[in-house]
Amino acid sequence: MCPEKSSADTHASFLLLVILYLAPFSGLQAQTQEKVFSGPQPGESTTHFDAIELRGDTQGETVDPILENAGNATTLVFVHGLERSMVPLMKVIDAFGERYKTKIKTEWVFLSDDPITSRQRLPIAGRSIQMKGRMLLSSDGIEGPGNYGLNKRCLLTVLTSKENKVTANFALIQPGIADAESILGALAALIGLEKIPDMHSFIDQERMTRRGMRGRGKEIKRKTENSDQQELPGAAPKDTQLIALLRRYIQRTNRPEQVDQILDEVRAYIEGNKDLQKQAMDGWTRVISVQYGTAFARQQGTAFVKEIKNLLESKE
């Protein structure tokens, strides 16, 4: 399963986006996943900042999204640069915001050191990838709002907030669809959903829309509602270190020795901590159920889940 494979029209649209916007970021190279920090951490405040509206009736006006959203549930996505591999993740985040737009605001905040060119080209790029959320250009240039401490190495910094307090932070150097599960979990928790929506329901809905199959709108809605009601086994970890280890584990380029090494790191990290052991068991159960990672990783992961389950049962 590889949900980030795109059709020819999506590829063409992305090429347009690259031509229009990405040239200033060509020096940003893919880097290995590691623990990094970008933006305010959970519990810290989302402070006010100015940004320029890029679309709609208020295009060109300066706004303060924190002031406007008045403490309501908000997703702030700071975009330092773009790669083809991150577009599927962006579409999932954007589609979640569109589906639950009465409960959450989605703000895409682009960062650039060329505001004049960006104001001309970013709206075209937004149309190319059919972005529904509000598109803004930070008034603070490539660094972004000073109080936020954004890390330029992170192509995406995703913040979820409520009552002007950060509830989750995802600092992504090399964002991709593998990050969708954890982000959807944070978004679902933010607006009080009992179950995390299946990310494939967003992907399928976007594909159907792109193909112009609007006559099947009711069918899509039924499929989406049914997907929301289906509970995947396991759960996304809450511990940030476990999340980072899980992201490394499901990389499709991992060799068998890398898979074994990561599992050894996980065992050492969760040793003696029942809560972390439970989170690890649930996290690996979840990614195996959707067949993430290599075949070897899924095989070893299944054995790892049984190992942790037996360990927990022996303590009861």
Side-chain angles (χ1 to χ4, degrees):
M1 180 194 68
C2 185
E4 48 186 289
K5 288 183 179 179
S6 56
S7 60
D9 56 333
T10 300
H11 179 61
S13 295
F14 187 80
L15 288 179
L16 172 62
L17 185 151
V18 171
I19 294 170
L20 293 177
Y21 178 55
L22 300 190
F25 303 103
S26 58
L28 288 170
Q29 301 295 325
Q31 303 181 47
T32 57
Q33 292 287 355
E34 58 182 278
K35 181 63 176 176
V36 295
F37 294 92
S38 179
Q41 301 302 300
E44 297 179 349
S45 298
T46 52
T47 55
H48 297 279
F49 66 91
D50 288 339
I52 300 167
E53 286 263 19
L54 290 172
R55 301 187 298 187
D57 296 336
T58 55
Q59 183 175 5
E61 294 185 8
T62 299
V63 298
D64 179 346
I66 305 302
L67 180 64
E68 287 190 2
N69 292 340
N72 292 314
T74 302
T75 308
L76 289 170
V77 188
F78 293 95
V79 186
H80 257 117
L82 286 167
E83 294 178 355
R84 181 183 177 187
S85 60
M86 64 194 279
V87 171
L89 172 63
M90 294 175 68
K91 286 179 174 290
V92 168
I93 297 172
D94 196 57
F96 182 98
E98 178 67 12
R99 184 184 299 177
Y100 298 105
K101 60 186 176 183
T102 60
K103 298 181 178 181
I104 191 169
K105 303 294 183 183
T106 304
E107 310 280 10
W108 294 91
V109 186
F110 292 83
L111 311 174
S112 172
D113 55 4
D114 186 355
I116 296 176
T117 301
S118 295
R119 287 175 65 174
Q120 296 172 341
R121 295 179 174 178
L122 279 171
I124 302 173
R127 288 196 295 273
S128 297
I129 58 176
Q130 299 181 340
M131 187 169 285
K132 302 294 192 299
R134 183 162 71 162
M135 293 179 61
L136 303 170
L137 178 66
S138 173
S139 299
D140 297 289
I142 193 67
E143 301 290 340
N147 290 343
Y148 279 67
L150 298 170
N151 187 335
K152 287 194 294 185
R153 295 172 61 202
C154 297
L155 295 180
L156 286 186
T157 299
V158 183
L159 306 177
T160 63
S161 67
K162 194 170 186 178
E163 297 178 356
N164 294 335
K165 295 289 184 182
V166 175
T167 58
N169 175 303
F170 300 89
L172 307 176
I173 292 178
Q174 196 172 3
I177 197 65
D179 299 297
E181 190 75 30
S182 297
I183 294 175
L184 284 177
L187 293 171
L190 183 66
I191 62 174
L193 298 182
E194 293 184 1
K195 298 177 182 178
I196 302 173
D198 180 4
M199 71 175 178
H200 297 96
S201 70
F202 298 109
I203 295 170
D204 292 344
Q205 185 172 1
E206 186 274 331
R207 285 174 177 166
M208 295 287 277
T209 301
R210 187 179 65 236
R211 292 169 185 168
M213 301 176 70
R214 304 185 186 278
R216 297 182 62 186
K218 292 183 179 180
E219 178 183 343
I220 295 170
K221 183 178 180 181
R222 286 195 299 270
K223 181 179 180 181
T224 295
E225 290 173 347
N226 291 334
S227 297
D228 286 351
Q229 295 170 1
Q230 294 174 358
E231 184 175 5
L232 293 173
K238 297 179 181 178
D239 182 83
T240 55
Q241 182 65 18
L242 272 181
I243 292 172
L245 288 165
L246 191 56
R247 285 177 185 155
R248 288 172 53 199
Y249 188 79
I250 62 177
Q251 295 300 311
R252 299 176 66 86
T253 56
N254 282 343
R255 299 185 301 275
E257 59 268 26
Q258 291 174 301
V259 169
D260 290 335
Q261 178 183 346
I262 295 169
L263 280 181
D264 287 340
E265 292 179 39
V266 176
R267 291 186 180 98
Y269 180 65
I270 66 177
E271 184 177 6
N273 189 315
K274 186 175 180 180
D275 178 61
L276 290 179
Q277 291 167 350
K278 178 65 164 57
Q279 288 189 51
M281 181 180 71
D282 287 341
W284 262 256
T285 298
R286 174 65 59 88
V287 298
I288 291 168
S289 74
V290 293
Q291 299 189 16
Y292 280 162
T294 64
F296 181 78
R298 296 194 295 273
Q299 176 186 347
Q300 295 297 91
T302 300
F304 174 69
V305 168
K306 292 180 180 178
E307 171 191 326
I308 300 302
K309 183 179 180 181
N310 291 336
L311 178 63
L312 289 172
E313 288 177 348
S314 68
K315 295 180 179 180
E316 294 179 353

